[in-house]
Amino acid sequence: QKEVEQDPGPLSVPEGAIVSLNCTYSNSAFQYFMWYRQYSRKGPELLMYTYSSGNKEDGRFTAQVDKSSKYISLFIRDSQPSDSATYLCAMSGGGATNKLIFGTGTLLAVQP
Amino acid sequence: NAGVTQTPKFRILKIGQSMTLQCTQDMNHNYMYWYRQDPGMGLKLIYYSVGAGITDKGEVPNGYNVSRSTTEDFPLRLELAAPSQTSVYFCASSYSSRTLNTGELFFGEGSRLTVL
């Protein structure tokens, strides 16, 4: 079993739709949960960061962490064509090395 | 402030050739990383460094070497290139201390390597 599982998609939605992206994980030591966005032929960039369980909102984006179910989600409201990208979940147990374990990424296309 | 800069952006190698991927950052970050990204496989950590003079293996270090002589630079060396090393390579950096560990990595734009 992989440490982090993510549905690769691709996911295609119309502009304005609500998008839900998800990851599951197996390592209960993970405490830091992140979502990175990667545009085509670019490096990933941090989108959302959450420590432990709970919700975090930033504009149209909401990140949720449920440690009891080992499940994290990213919701995008009022999706825009500019949101078209690959979304990678990432997580770590913290500690000195700051090593992240990444999901495989979900390719999202928002159709105008 | 350029962030993380990788060179070259593209390279084609023949089997058995060697090359170095260059990475430099101007954010005074103490941590640096090399990842490879293959289709459907996500990002895999090759090597990382927690400071000048200190390096350690990640998940997939075989066939690669690194050095960290300065805070800014973290080159990745490929010896005896093989087709399995065809991939997109990303360098990243972060700042971490005992009191600050945000998990935010800053990535370069990637180096696309093809081994034929």
Side-chain angles (χ1 to χ4, degrees):
Chain A
Q1 182 188 10
K2 287 183 182 178
E3 269 194 297
V4 179
E5 301 268 8
Q6 183 175 7
D7 186 337
L11 187 61
S12 181
V13 301
E15 184 174 352
I18 296 174
V19 176
S20 172
L21 305 169
N22 311 292
C23 287
T24 59
Y25 63 95
S26 58
N27 189 342
S28 57
F30 288 147
Q31 298 183 73
Y32 298 87
F33 303 92
M34 285 139 275
W35 287 94
Y36 280 79
R37 179 175 59 195
Q38 184 178 21
Y39 290 115
S40 180
R41 297 193 172 269
K42 297 290 186 183
E45 56 182 353
L46 183 66
L47 185 63
M48 297 285 284
Y49 163 84
T50 309
Y51 171 69
S52 194
S53 283
N55 294 0
K56 186 172 185 178
E57 190 173 319
D58 184 2
R60 295 183 295 109
F61 299 88
T62 300
Q64 285 185 351
V65 175
D66 182 349
K67 289 189 71 179
S68 61
S69 303
K70 298 191 179 67
Y71 189 87
I72 71 170
S73 301
L74 177 70
F75 296 96
I76 307 175
R77 290 186 301 279
D78 187 26
S79 56
Q80 301 295 309
S82 59
D83 296 327
S84 298
T86 296
Y87 290 80
L88 299 132
C89 63
M91 45 200 81
S92 79
T97 59
N98 209 18
K99 284 191 288 185
L100 297 183
I101 306 298
F102 284 86
T104 52
T106 299
L107 179 61
L108 171 67
V110 181
Q111 308 297 335
Chain B
N1 194 343
V4 178
T5 302
Q6 292 182 235
T7 57
K9 286 187 168 34
F10 304 93
R11 183 73 185 267
I12 297 175
L13 280 182
K14 293 183 180 178
I15 293 171
Q17 286 185 319
S18 299
M19 76 160 297
T20 299
L21 299 178
Q22 302 290 345
C23 175
T24 187
Q25 53 94 6
D26 61 1
M27 296 174 282
N28 201 31
H29 285 167
N30 49 349
Y31 286 41
M32 295 188 76
Y33 313 81
W34 274 105
Y35 287 89
R36 59 177 287 171
Q37 186 175 39
D38 300 303
M41 300 296 289
L43 287 157
K44 300 293 184 186
L45 183 63
I46 305 171
Y47 270 96
Y48 67 98
S49 168
V50 301
I54 306 169
T55 63
D56 208 349
K57 296 177 180 178
E59 259 183 291
V60 290
N62 291 344
Y64 307 95
N65 275 300
V66 293
S67 60
R68 184 101 181 266
S69 56
T70 67
T71 299
E72 295 78 19
D73 301 306
F74 191 41
L76 177 71
R77 178 83 178 160
L78 280 74
E79 305 282 2
L80 299 175
S84 61
Q85 292 179 305
T86 293
S87 189
V88 181
Y89 292 85
F90 287 99
C91 179
S93 71
S94 71
Y95 179 77
S96 186
S97 70
R98 278 181 291 179
T99 57
L100 178 64
N101 185 353
T102 66
E104 180 171 12
L105 270 59
F106 293 81
F107 284 85
E109 295 210 334
S111 298
R112 282 171 172 71
L113 176 67
T114 302
V115 182
L116 301 173

